[in-house]
Amino acid sequence: MMDRLRNDFSIQALGQGLLVALVGYASSVAVVIQGLTAVGASVGQIASALVALGVFMGVVAIALSWTTRMPISIAWTTPGLALLATTGAVAGGFAAAVGAFVVVGALIMLTGLWAPLGRLVGKIPKAIASGMLAGILLKLCLAPFMAIGKAPWVAGAVLLTWLLVGRFARGYAVPAAVAVALAAMSFDAPFAGLAPADLIPRLEFVMPVFTSDAMANIALPLFIVTMAGQNLPGLTVLAAYEYRPRVTPVLLSTGAASALGAPFGMPTVNLAAITAALCAGPDAHPDPARRYIAGIFGGVGYMLLIALAAVAAVVVTRSPPILIEAVAGLALIGAFGSAMLNAVQDEQDRLPGLATFLTTASGLSLFGIGSAVLGVVLGLLVHQIFHARWSPLK
């Protein structure tokens, strides 16, 4: 084992793996914190969630990359956390959200074990799944531009940084914007009144509570978003580079990690979609057979970033909400664009996709069921109406 690792090791793969972790963390940690805050997590519980994410993402990435000899990148469910940010608190508070996280992990495992469930998820038309995702992301993606009206100088500087850096190095645009936002946040003295011990990362247990409200408005849409917006695209990116891991071990390991980490406040973990190409592509190593080293060190990078968990939680939660929303929105604009394109690209499915998008974006709630689920239901209904085979009356 060690001989194989030594022979395949390269500084290029190590650097690329650590870069993937750093870019992934900096680009969307604000989305994680905003989503957890929206469903009622305290600062301590958010820090605990970030610690657990670092541990479980790291362990799963290392284990899967080593056993498959493929560059498997693991991430938190960024669109799922955007869903939490728009859903808000549910009956039972954060404990109920944690119960929903446990259920999502179990459903992902069940998808890996029971093929019909996987096929059922896969049969949701792409336009409808994408329309739901775009509807979830819309409000957050508007935040950077709305922030200009409330904090024109700071929000303008963040947006301008994102645009200028994105012109030359798109992958670094959001981290650069985050750096500018952090500089602005520092003027608010976010660490005032805190002892050094408050910044030490630690786990905090939350007893899960299972409520029908959380199952309908968090667990079900979070499962769909994670599968359709993370796992399926993640597998597609790997396939584009000729990596085709067995789906069952991937879903079992990420689902088990999600369920085990949930009582520490951790949301769902899954295959990376956006950063997957950084590990799977030639930038990780010219030899495809040696790129798995980048996946391993991507996991190592996430474990090293555990040290920043409490600091990130404090800085973000003590900073102006509009600024945090702006940074989170910038991190999601690319995902929103892709989702919107997929929702309307196929002319035959354009109307179902738009119906799903508009219903989800509206924030509609009926009988305790949130807009994300209602959007999928309406989208499927419209799809069925327009695609059903009608027999003429005789």
Side-chain angles (χ1 to χ4, degrees):
M1 173 179 174
M2 294 307 298
D3 288 341
R4 174 68 184 268
L5 194 60
R6 276 194 296 268
N7 291 336
D8 290 343
F9 174 81
S10 69
I11 295 297
Q12 182 179 0
L14 180 150
Q16 191 72 2
L18 295 179
L19 178 65
V20 164
L22 183 60
V23 170
Y25 196 95
S27 297
S28 56
V29 70
V31 184
V32 177
I33 295 172
Q34 188 182 10
L36 292 174
T37 301
V39 292
S42 66
V43 176
Q45 290 165 340
I46 292 170
S48 174
L50 291 174
V51 172
L53 282 166
V55 171
F56 283 100
M57 288 194 304
V59 169
V60 174
I62 292 168
L64 285 177
S65 294
W66 173 251
T67 56
T68 63
R69 300 295 194 275
M70 299 180 193
I72 307 294
S73 297
I74 302 298
W76 48 56
T77 173
T78 302
L81 286 152
L83 167 71
L84 299 184
T86 57
T87 300
V90 294
F94 186 57
V98 167
F101 298 161
V102 173
V103 170
V104 173
L107 285 173
I108 292 172
M109 293 178 69
L110 185 59
T111 306
L113 290 171
W114 190 42
L117 181 57
R119 287 197 293 269
L120 181 63
V121 174
K123 283 183 179 179
I124 296 176
K126 182 172 71 172
I128 292 175
S130 298
M132 180 185 71
L133 180 56
I136 290 167
L137 298 179
L138 175 62
K139 183 179 178 181
L140 287 172
C141 290
L142 292 174
F145 307 96
M146 296 175 65
I148 294 176
K150 298 183 179 180
W153 292 107
V154 176
V158 170
L159 188 58
L160 184 61
T161 301
W162 177 72
L163 287 170
L164 291 177
V165 176
R167 169 66 178 82
F168 301 101
R170 186 174 298 178
Y172 298 94
V174 174
V178 170
V180 173
L182 287 173
M185 294 172 193
S186 66
F187 289 104
D188 292 327
F191 302 114
L194 292 177
D198 295 327
L199 300 179
I200 298 174
R202 57 175 63 86
L203 291 171
E204 185 173 319
F205 183 79
V206 180
M207 180 61 71
V209 172
F210 302 93
T211 68
S212 58
D213 189 13
M215 295 305 109
N217 294 309
I218 294 181
L220 182 57
L222 181 57
F223 169 66
I224 295 173
V225 165
T226 299
M227 291 299 299
Q230 289 280 170
N231 284 330
L232 295 180
L235 290 169
T236 302
V237 170
L238 287 172
Y241 290 95
E242 301 301 325
Y243 297 108
R244 292 178 174 81
R246 289 178 56 230
V247 175
T248 297
V250 170
L251 295 183
L252 284 178
S253 56
T254 55
S258 298
L260 291 172
F264 300 103
M266 188 187 87
T268 310
V269 299
N270 38 247
L271 283 175
I274 299 170
T275 56
L278 296 176
C279 279
D283 287 342
H285 198 278
D287 183 358
R290 295 174 64 182
R291 292 175 192 166
Y292 74 93
I293 299 295
I296 289 174
F297 279 99
V300 171
Y302 276 118
M303 297 181 82
L304 292 175
L305 288 166
I306 288 171
L308 298 178
V311 174
V314 169
V315 169
V316 173
T317 54
R318 288 191 170 198
S319 298
I322 190 65
L323 190 56
I324 302 309
E325 290 173 7
V327 173
L330 290 177
L332 295 167
I333 285 177
F336 171 77
S338 297
M340 200 68 232
L341 177 63
N342 289 330
V344 301
Q345 194 170 29
D346 187 338
E347 188 174 351
Q348 288 188 327
D349 278 340
R350 187 170 297 162
L351 190 57
L354 286 172
T356 305
F357 165 68
L358 293 171
T359 305
T360 304
S362 72
L364 174 68
S365 178
L366 289 175
F367 310 111
I369 299 173
S371 61
V373 175
L374 291 174
V376 172
V377 171
L378 181 60
L380 290 172
L381 179 61
V382 174
H383 182 273
Q384 183 62 29
I385 290 173
F386 278 84
H387 288 270
R389 296 173 182 264
W390 298 94
S391 299
L393 294 174
K394 295 182 179 180

